[in-house]
Amino acid sequence: MAISMEFCSQLPWSFNPTPPPTSNLFLSITNPRFLFVNKVNKSQHLCHSSSLSSSNQQQQLQEPLAQDDGDDNGDGKYDDDDDDGKGQFSNLVKEYGWQVRRMIEKDDEMRSVANIQAEAFHQPLILFNDVFFQFFQAEVLAGLLYRLRNSPPDRYACLVAETSTSDNQEEKQLVGVVDVTVFREESVLKHLSEANEYLYVSGIAVLHNFRRKKVASVLLKACEMVAVLWGYKYLVLRAYEDDLGARKLYTNAGYTIVSGDPVWTTSWIGRRRRILMLKQCDI
């Protein structure tokens, strides 16, 4: 079952929105992070973009993304105390042979996250599919860097699922990923009792070879743990109404449907209708 859900790239409510859809697809990645420019006469930050050939795009994917590898002590280990106060949430959940923690902001791990989400959400093309997949992967990676740069550590987290059969960090394989972000959208808050913010779950993705092995279920449990640790009563997500597999997954995890996109915004323009689902946490 391919987990299909709205791939949300929005930032927390208190920050500027993500780059508008008119941004060039071939986003430029620089070292150590992503290059930003202020657009004239607009208060929001836009991702600096440029038109790149496929060879240049591939070369940029091999460049370092960040100098901070999470090893502040220089001991070769990535401890909870080595994350500059961001809290790795080590071993949030450990079940079915998988364990979930917060993503470490180092090159190879961020690239793995981008690859997992790109594999899950990329729509295959008949021609030049490999080339466009690389472009899409670069765009996903750029979005991840943007969220990390613009979000406080207690309002956004990227969680990763990995194998738990080995104690050696280098032997572990990332198999799934999910984003959690603090939001306060009025159209959602009207469904929540005595809450002015909530934790939004998005971008859940599992590598193709590891689907139907409880990875997504473990990721959802980890999201609930983050909600409890951050003190949020509600978890919220959106799913496509016609994606019965995803709806069953979320229902089994305790989510209930509270609303859906208005029919007039979907039927006449051919958009897939989304449903809003929420879960209340015991905090």
Side-chain angles (χ1 to χ4, degrees):
M1 176 186 68
I3 305 303
S4 175
M5 190 175 72
E6 179 191 21
F7 187 34
C8 175
S9 60
Q10 293 178 326
L11 293 173
W13 68 272
S14 58
F15 285 80
N16 295 323
T18 51
T22 54
S23 296
N24 194 299
L25 172 63
F26 310 136
L27 300 175
S28 174
I29 302 173
T30 58
N31 183 15
R33 284 291 182 84
F34 197 48
L35 180 62
F36 292 87
V37 293
N38 289 323
K39 190 172 182 179
V40 179
N41 297 329
K42 288 192 176 181
S43 59
Q44 62 184 12
H45 291 298
L46 301 180
C47 294
H48 180 68
S49 61
S50 60
S51 179
L52 303 173
S53 66
S54 59
S55 60
N56 289 339
Q57 185 76 16
Q58 187 172 8
Q59 181 179 2
Q60 285 187 336
L61 285 173
Q62 303 302 320
E63 296 177 356
L65 298 176
Q67 294 177 344
D68 180 13
D69 62 0
D71 180 18
D72 294 341
N73 296 332
D75 57 3
K77 300 178 181 179
Y78 301 96
D79 304 321
D80 289 346
D81 296 334
D82 287 343
D83 68 301
D84 196 27
K86 294 185 177 180
Q88 294 299 336
F89 299 146
S90 179
N91 296 332
L92 281 165
V93 177
K94 189 173 183 179
E95 291 184 1
Y96 307 111
W98 316 113
Q99 63 185 23
V100 180
R101 58 173 172 79
R102 192 170 192 164
M103 183 194 72
I104 299 174
E105 294 183 36
K106 58 178 183 175
D107 288 6
D108 56 347
E109 186 143 307
M110 289 189 288
R111 295 181 197 280
S112 295
V113 167
N115 179 69
I116 293 171
Q117 289 185 324
E119 179 191 280
F121 296 104
H122 174 65
Q123 298 295 328
L125 301 174
I126 298 178
L127 299 175
F128 308 109
N129 183 65
D130 291 341
V131 174
F132 280 97
F133 177 80
Q134 292 178 8
F135 290 147
F136 184 65
Q137 185 179 21
E139 188 173 25
V140 172
L141 180 57
L144 173 63
L145 294 173
Y146 187 86
R147 292 191 295 276
L148 290 170
R149 181 183 180 114
N150 288 272
S151 306
D154 61 347
R155 298 187 69 84
Y156 168 75
C158 179
L159 307 180
V160 294
E162 61 188 356
T163 54
S164 61
T165 55
S166 173
D167 294 331
N168 188 343
Q169 185 65 35
E170 295 182 355
E171 295 179 359
K172 295 180 183 296
Q173 180 183 1
L174 297 189
V175 297
V177 59
V178 65
D179 293 323
V180 287
T181 313
V182 178
F183 275 2
R184 57 181 309 176
E185 185 180 340
E186 291 298 330
S187 61
V188 175
L189 289 175
K190 67 182 182 180
H191 299 287
L192 312 181
S193 175
E194 299 180 352
N196 55 13
E197 290 182 328
Y198 56 90
L199 198 65
Y200 189 75
V201 179
S202 63
I204 185 170
V206 176
L207 284 177
H208 181 77
N209 292 337
F210 295 92
R211 292 171 186 170
R212 297 183 180 275
K213 296 183 179 181
K214 299 292 186 178
V215 178
S217 298
V218 175
L219 284 168
L220 290 174
K221 287 186 178 181
C223 293
E224 187 172 354
M225 289 296 297
V226 174
V228 172
L229 290 171
W230 285 355
Y232 291 100
K233 186 177 180 180
Y234 293 99
L235 285 158
V236 176
L237 59 80
R238 287 186 173 91
Y240 289 116
E241 186 177 40
D242 58 358
D243 192 338
L244 301 182
R247 288 177 55 178
K248 181 179 179 181
L249 169 69
Y250 305 139
T251 301
N252 291 340
Y255 288 81
T256 58
I257 301 174
V258 293
S259 68
D261 288 341
V263 177
W264 63 269
T265 65
T266 56
S267 59
W268 68 279
I269 59 176
R271 284 182 51 190
R272 296 173 67 187
R273 189 169 186 260
R274 302 173 306 167
I275 54 175
L276 184 70
M277 306 183 72
L278 65 84
K279 179 178 183 178
Q280 182 173 337
C281 299
D282 183 11
I283 59 174

